[in-house]
Amino acid sequence: FIQGLGGFGVPEEKMFTAEDLWDGSDAGIAKVINCLLCIGRKCFEKNWEGPALGPKPTGSSRNWTEQQLRASEAIVPSQYGTNAYASQKGYRFGAQRNIIPEIKADYKVPEVKKEVEPSEG
């Protein structure tokens, strides 16, 4: 399997070793998962029609201009400078707050009867 990955187009740095499987460490399992996701990407590149693994690649990468990246900095959030959304509607001022929980004493401690041992004598 591992030898066939190279022929399929998986780069050597994305491959895992048999020790990574048997080791069971977090780093080893991460290598295995990354390799399987790389296989999934290669399946998309080779127009595989069967079941897919991982997200579908988006294709070309986008090159944003500096002006496009800075455009969001000019947008003022709707809540900025207003307190319309932070009302205290429904709150009662002056009412006493109950911070002590009510304790229900429904539990009765069972009585323990001691058996009196007969005295010898």
Side-chain angles (χ1 to χ4, degrees), residues 3-64:
Q3 292 173 351
L5 293 176
F8 193 65
V10 176
E12 193 168 328
E13 64 270 5
K14 297 286 186 180
M15 294 183 196
F16 62 92
T17 62
E19 289 82 26
D20 293 329
L21 279 174
W22 291 106
D23 181 24
S25 68
D26 290 342
I29 298 300
K31 281 184 176 181
V32 173
I33 291 171
N34 285 332
C35 181
L36 292 175
L37 290 174
C38 184
I39 293 169
R41 286 190 297 275
K42 291 296 178 184
C43 287
F44 280 115
E45 289 175 10
K46 296 178 183 284
N47 297 323
W48 170 258
E49 296 295 328
L53 176 67
K56 185 176 180 180
T58 58
S60 63
S61 61
R62 299 193 178 180
N63 296 322
W64 301 98

Side-chain angles (χ1 to χ4, degrees), residues 71-83 85:
S72 66
E73 295 176 2
I75 298 172
V76 178
S78 63
Q79 289 183 339
Y80 187 74
T82 181
N83 62 356
Y85 305 108

Side-chain angles (χ1 to χ4, degrees), residues 52-120:
L53 176 67
K56 185 176 180 180
T58 58
S60 63
S61 61
R62 299 193 178 180
N63 296 322
W64 301 98
T65 64
E66 187 69 25
Q67 182 182 7
Q68 289 172 322
L69 293 173
R70 299 248 179 226
S72 66
E73 295 176 2
I75 298 172
V76 178
S78 63
Q79 289 183 339
Y80 187 74
T82 181
N83 62 356
Y85 305 108
S87 72
Q88 293 183 350
K89 183 178 179 182
Y91 285 91
R92 294 184 295 150
F93 292 102
Q96 195 172 24
R97 208 172 123 204
N98 186 9
I99 59 172
I100 301 173
E102 293 182 22
I103 299 173
K104 296 182 179 179
D106 292 347
Y107 181 74
K108 293 183 181 178
V109 180
E111 292 182 26
V112 179
K113 295 182 180 179
K114 292 185 180 180
E115 293 185 20
V116 179
E117 294 182 18
S119 61
E120 295 180 25

